Amino acid sequence: MREPVVPAEPGTAPDLVELARVVGRQRAEMDRLREQAATSAVVERAKGVVMALGGCSADTAGETLLQRAKAARRTLLEECWITLGELAPARSGEPSARPAEDTGDTTAGFPEADPPATPSPPDDVADALGRLARVLVRTDTPQELARCLLEHLGPDLDADSVMIYVRRTDGSLELLGHAGTGERLAARWSRVPPFGGVAVLEALDSGEPLWLEDFAGDSTRYLLIGDPPERWRSRAWLPLPGGEGPGICVGVLRGRSGPFTPRDRAHLRGAVRLCADRLRAFAAPSEPVAGPLPGSVRALFAALPVPAVLLTPLPGPSGGTEDFRIDAMTAQAADVLDGTGDDPAGRRLREVRPDLVDTPMWRGCLDTLAGGGTYESEPFAHQEVVDGVTEPATYSVRVTRSADALVVTWLRHASSDRQEQRLADLQRLGNLGWADWNLTTSEASWSSQVFAILGRDPADGPVRLVDLPGLAVPEDRSALSGAVDALIREGLPLDAPFRVRDARGVRHLRLAAEAVADLRGTPVEVHGFVQDLTARRRAELALVETERAIVTQHDVLQAERSLVARLQNALLPLPERVVDLAGLRVEVAYLPAQAGIHVGGDWFSAIELPDGDALFVVGDVAGHGVDAVATMAQLRFTAKGMVITGSSLTGALARLNTLLLHSRDSHGTATMVLARYRPAQRRLVWAQAGHTPPLLLRDGEVTYLRRPSGMLLGGAAGPHFEEAECLLEPGDRVLLYTDGLVERPPENIDVGLARLAAAVAAHPDDEAGSLGVLLETMLEDERRDDVCVLDIRVPKER
């Protein structure tokens, strides 16, 4: 037993009590921070495994773990341990690089100011916890969980028994589950009063594990469980982390003496964290027991002439209301709520009507229970059977609180009530109100909606029909007055728009009315309605403005496209037939994009140089419009000029890159292929700047030429360019093209290159016009980019 507590001297006890409270709060906060850090470390390790195996992002890995846990009905922590355990075979031969957990006894003394983050357990412990997580999902009772823990901890920690206690509201301990103790001993220790000298209570009070490793010393301080107590020479009591919900403590009892090693302590802490959610659910307050109702309550519900039900709230694991139990019900309520004719008294409301959970009535019950006052629902339709015939009825629900229960009643609306409700709904949905005028007595009657629409105080009363035009803005009074006069004098129907001005601004209204005449044909009454069309009118005006802006913008863009197209045609004339160039047959195709109205910066050049060689250029400037066309022209003519004056292909690319970087008139970046053909050797020398490689067709086999080094123009200062060469043979076919021929977002460009190779292999003809067939095959869908192609053929020898 503990030593008795000696009271402090007068004047000091309050200070010590307050100090103890502060220390207790600090310990609880330390425990919460440690457990958050430990749980976060496990989750992050599991996310890292999923990222490594699946090649995904951290957010995707976290979502994957959540979905797995939900599908397997596990907690997130259980799923994380299982994921880490799946790596056991790969790590079985590796030494653990993690430091052992410092788990010295911290049950005495003051807490540290900043608690250290709990380190991750060693790899073999993580693997063991992963295996435990797999079997925990099959435990449905505290007894099964205790047996599961003992089977898991027994071989590894020499555990002989497991006991799980929960502290109830009166401070006593209740044995929630046990394994390895025997039923007689468990019955003896099933309830423990809240007195001193109990190790479980001390662990719960401190919020820290209590390691009892010295039996001789511990037996003098605590009342030890056991018959005899020497049955277990060492034991550990570990409270659930977090401090939320009921206090729960897990005890692991061993027959052998000796300390728990740092590895053992890490293992036990991890196992308790893993079981925490399930233990809290098991220890939640049980469902209130339905006792016999007083006779007065039964008599009251038997005499009630309306559908009514008495509901008792049922708490869930988190403490909030999870469901309601039906304790009493009138016969009419059974028909409305259940519809089967059976008496559902004693059953759960969600069992009888699971569809009510997402309804306003359910939220109204929760609000009323929380002190929000009486709840009254909007009228709703309900199909009921009268004399064997199903007919619609209208009900509303009223929820009131009576002590700790709820009384729910259903009010059936009469036919007249339904008609009034429908009229009210019609006025609300149509934003209109009805009005009557008696032309003989000059009396008027308006619905409340008319006063709201006209912005008139109901205390001022309605106005006469002849005075109604005076409420309109001056510009509309004359037309409205003439229509009202024709209605009153000649009985002509009226349907006139008019505007009023109030605190909300100018509002667009509509008055529709017709007259009721006497036997002589003289109008004596007028019935009609006033409707607010402000929102519709504003939408119409906004639509007109939008259409006008669209037409204007379309005209501007069409003019720009026409200008750019003319400029492009002037700068990039297309040959109308196949061209013979340096002994080669060259065919050109240029197709502008169909998507949008902008033209782009694709271009080509195919010329014969002064020395008899041929120069071929295909390029693509980023962007569309006037700027792209201007940059295209600059690059096209500059490239030709540089090569004609003797510059090498790589030198020309380097100077063009400098031009784009330092010219204020340049437009972004560009890609390009420069190729020079020497007919005497049939040698094709080429260089590229970030462009797709040329395609070669030889003897029916398609290959892409290996690209030499070279990055796109305008991307960086001082890029490195290289040349490559290819000896052509009679019958060879070479394609230079821009990326619009092969790209189809969002697919990879390699897919487009493979598609082009297949299409060329399928159409190897060298007849004129075969390029058109190839383009039709490649460009089946709408073109989102320009397409430029140079089709170069080496004639076959005769």
Side-chain angles (χ1 to χ4, degrees), residues 132 228 241 522 551 601:
L132 175 61
T522 303
V551 170

Side-chain angles (χ1 to χ4, degrees), residues 366-379:
L366 297 178
D367 292 341
T368 302
L369 188 63
T374 300
Y375 166 76
E376 294 187 8
S377 75
E378 295 291 333

Side-chain angles (χ1 to χ4, degrees), residues 268 690 777:
L268 287 173
T777 303

Side-chain angles (χ1 to χ4, degrees), residues 550-571:
I550 290 175
V551 170
T552 301
Q553 182 68 13
H554 183 269
D555 291 343
V556 171
L557 294 178
Q558 287 288 8
E560 180 183 345
R561 177 179 175 82
S562 177
L563 172 62
V564 175
R566 289 198 298 270
L567 175 62
Q568 189 178 49
N569 290 334
L571 297 175

Side-chain angles (χ1 to χ4, degrees), residues 42 48 141 150 195 253 277 280 305 316 428 479 557 607 640 778:
V42 173
T141 66
L150 183 58
F195 50 72
L253 296 79
D277 289 341
R280 291 193 182 100
R428 175 178 52 83
L557 294 178
I607 62 172
K640 290 195 298 184
M778 290 293 297

Side-chain angles (χ1 to χ4, degrees), residues 558-629:
Q558 287 288 8
E560 180 183 345
R561 177 179 175 82
S562 177
L563 172 62
V564 175
R566 289 198 298 270
L567 175 62
Q568 189 178 49
N569 290 334
L571 297 175
L572 193 66
L574 294 174
E576 299 180 354
R577 56 183 178 82
V578 176
V579 177
D580 291 327
L581 194 64
L584 302 174
R585 294 174 54 202
V586 182
E587 189 174 358
V588 180
Y590 179 85
L591 301 174
Q594 294 175 330
I597 64 170
H598 290 297
V599 293
D602 290 20
W603 87 93
F604 70 92
S605 288
I607 62 172
E608 187 168 328
L609 299 175
D611 59 1
D613 293 351
L615 174 67
F616 301 105
V617 186
V618 168
D620 184 2
V621 174
H624 295 79
V626 175
D627 291 338
V629 172

Side-chain angles (χ1 to χ4, degrees), residues 219-276:
S219 61
T220 62
R221 297 178 57 196
Y222 300 105
L223 179 62
L224 298 179
I225 297 174
D227 188 16
E230 294 83 359
R231 175 179 175 182
W232 295 299
R233 307 290 296 184
S234 61
R235 53 196 84 196
W237 293 101
L238 296 94
L240 257 63
E244 298 180 359
I248 303 173
C249 196
V250 178
V252 177
L253 296 79
R254 303 189 303 183
R256 67 174 178 87
S257 60
F260 291 87
T261 66
R263 178 191 173 281
D264 294 342
R265 296 188 179 195
H267 194 166
L268 287 173
R269 288 178 186 269
V272 171
R273 282 198 302 269
L274 198 57
C275 303

